[in-house]
Amino acid sequence: MKYQTILTLVLILGNKVVGMETVILREDDVEELITMEEAMNAVEEAFRLYALGKASMPPKVYLNFSKGDLRAMPAHIMGYAGIKWVNSHPSNPDIGLPTVMALMILNSPETGFPLVVMDATFLTSLRTGAAGGVAAKYLARKDSRVFGFVGCGKQAYFQFDALRRIFDIDLVKACDLRREVAEAFGEYCRKAGVDAMVADAREACKCDVLVTTTPSRRPVVKASWINKGTHINAIGADAEGKQELEIEILLKGKVVVDDIEQATHGGEINVAISKGEMRREDIHATIGEVIAGIKPGRESDEEITIFDSTGLAIQDIAVGKVVFENARKENRGIKMQFFRI
Ligand SMILES: NC(=O)c1ccc[n+]([C@@H]2O[C@H](COP(=O)([O-])OP(=O)(O)OC[C@H]3O[C@@H](n4cnc5c(N)ncnc54)[C@H](O)[C@@H]3O)[C@@H](O)[C@H]2O)c1
């Protein structure tokens, strides 16, 4: 469908803005306006700036309902202020709606003007994949060749897309509760030129980089399955009570989080911390501190490293900025004057 495009009208009379429009971008626009490379660069820079204190990000706000929740995720970074408003309703597919739907508004920090309203559903997966890629770049062994995936749903695809831009992947081992889901993911990897096999969880863990993307609330990965030198992207646990790894893995590995507060309350480490088996001091660093050179990343080929990803608003705003600026260059989107200016 072609969009009606109206030239943005910004008339400045004296010092006064008399007409100004907000850009509206749908999921199709957003997908075409940003690449995984751009997302990875943006997310890496966002983590770095956050570690240097050059961003602000209040805690997420939750509204809980019987069938799901809504979360508000605001941040100010890289010259933009904004908020992602995202739901999670697991039974939505029964009535033909997606589980997760997200919208983002980016505003000018100078005036508060809403510059763009965009779909952020695709962006959420993109920035999560980008974060996994960036984390593995700093924490995995450079010669990593075999990649295990436990959970082969939506997030696994984005993790793979980011990781294959950094590593020469020889083999993907795909594990999912539903064999057909693992097979479809393996097929996707093969189409990207990477050999792939369906595996059980134990076999998938015999790898250089392990990616876990299940919504599990009980460990699906046992400590005895993890070899020395493995890097783990623990993506699935992003809310209280969720857990994919046996706690022993966290205790014997080097844990790097995206944000200490969020990870403590809802990341892979949340269960270990609430049970008193791990302390905040056991967290080695944030990924931003590693990127900024404040703390070391991997220090030996023997170490087990774990990236605990919860998903941050600064990641959303950073990729949203790329989308908005590319949209402006290409004059994409519907323009709307919301206010009588
Ligand atoms: N860290 C972040 O920033 C972030 C961002 C988005 C989503 N997530 C989380 O990632 C998880 C996955 O999201 P998704 O969109 O890929 O969901 P999805 O439903 O598309 O995929 C999850 C897959 O995991 C499989 N699975 C479940 N339990 C398993 C087990 N014990 N062993 C093997 N496979 C198992 C399911 O069969 C399914 O295919 C969710 O918990 C979601 O909340 C985290």
Side-chain angles (χ1 to χ4, degrees):
M1 175 192 154
K2 286 199 168 177
Y3 298 137
Q4 180 194 6
T5 50
I6 309 158
L7 278 182
T8 306
L9 182 66
V10 183
L11 290 178
I12 301 181
L13 295 179
N15 278 337
K16 286 199 176 143
V17 176
V18 295
M20 213 169 158
E21 291 166 324
T22 302
V23 179
I24 298 174
L25 298 169
R26 303 187 332 160
E27 190 167 18
D28 292 346
D29 299 308
V30 173
E31 282 195 38
E32 287 168 20
L33 283 166
I34 185 166
T35 63
M36 180 56 92
E37 280 83 4
E38 288 175 310
M40 288 167 75
N41 290 336
V43 164
E44 183 169 353
E45 182 60 1
F47 284 145
R48 193 183 72 83
L49 291 172
Y50 185 50
L52 296 174
K54 294 182 178 169
S56 70
M57 184 175 66
K60 290 183 199 183
V61 175
Y62 287 79
L63 283 179
N64 293 306
F65 317 111
S66 58
K67 289 187 171 176
D69 65 65
L70 271 161
R71 302 157 200 194
M73 300 174 66
H76 174 202
I77 189 167
M78 296 170 166
Y80 291 85
I83 188 161
K84 184 171 82 174
W85 184 229
V86 54
N87 80 301
S88 175
H89 284 70
S91 57
N92 267 4
D94 302 344
I95 53 163
L97 271 180
T99 303
V100 174
M101 295 167 282
L103 281 180
M104 181 154 52
I105 306 174
L106 290 188
N107 303 69
S108 155
E110 275 78 43
T111 63
F113 187 84
L115 302 163
V116 59
V117 179
M118 70 175 91
D119 167 77
T121 316
F122 166 79
L123 280 187
T124 301
S125 301
L126 186 77
R127 59 80 151 147
T128 306
V134 168
K137 178 170 125 184
Y138 284 90
L139 298 172
R141 298 192 330 272
K142 303 273 173 266
D143 62 353
S144 296
R145 293 277 184 277
V146 179
F147 285 59
F149 287 79
V150 175
C152 297
K154 193 172 182 184
Q155 300 309 320
Y157 287 75
F158 288 87
Q159 293 288 317
F160 172 75
D161 281 345
L163 291 166
R164 75 185 177 86
R165 285 169 168 79
I166 295 172
F167 299 94
D168 286 328
I169 306 180
D170 283 343
L171 177 64
V172 161
K173 294 179 177 178
C175 160
D176 197 283
L177 279 184
R178 295 171 296 162
R179 190 180 170 89
E180 68 279 11
V181 171
E183 272 165 3
F185 179 59
E187 191 52 35
Y188 178 81
C189 298
R190 277 190 288 276
K191 281 201 179 126
V194 175
D195 199 8
M197 61 182 270
V198 172
D200 61 19
R202 185 183 193 139
E203 179 59 38
C205 289
K206 284 187 208 149
C207 62
D208 302 310
V209 174
L210 176 67
V211 180
T212 60
T213 59
T214 75
S216 188
R217 293 182 165 266
R218 275 178 305 159
V220 291
V221 173
K222 290 198 191 316
S224 59
W225 298 348
I226 301 298
N227 292 328
K228 284 183 182 167
T230 307
H231 169 69
I232 304 174
N233 273 350
I235 307 296
D238 59 354
E240 198 179 334
K242 283 184 166 183
Q243 181 189 13
E244 297 184 285
L245 312 177
E246 274 187 350
I247 292 174
E248 200 185 326
I249 301 173
L250 305 173
L251 300 180
K252 69 180 181 188
K254 180 182 257 182
V255 176
V256 174
V257 300
D258 53 9
D259 178 64
I260 290 180
E261 213 52 51
Q262 266 192 212
T264 304
H265 292 111
E268 181 58 42
I269 62 174
N270 86 86
V271 174
I273 296 224
S274 67
K275 284 185 172 169
E277 293 186 39
M278 191 180 168
R279 298 161 306 149
R280 285 167 79 110
E281 303 83 76
D282 297 327
I283 300 168
H284 168 70
T286 65
I287 188 65
E289 288 172 326
V290 174
I291 294 167
I294 298 165
K295 296 212 178 135
R298 171 173 290 276
E299 290 171 287
S300 85
D301 282 353
E302 306 290 291
E303 267 180 333
I304 292 168
T305 50
I306 300 121
F307 173 54
D308 180 355
S309 160
T310 60
L312 307 183
I314 51 163
Q315 292 168 244
D316 296 313
I317 305 301
V319 290
K321 167 190 192 291
V322 175
V323 170
F324 173 60
E325 291 180 356
N326 286 345
R328 257 200 323 213
K329 274 184 224 149
E330 295 181 21
N331 195 25
R332 285 280 291 265
I334 299 165
K335 316 280 185 331
M336 171 95 74
Q337 188 170 344
F338 281 108
F339 316 109
R340 289 190 297 270
I341 299 174

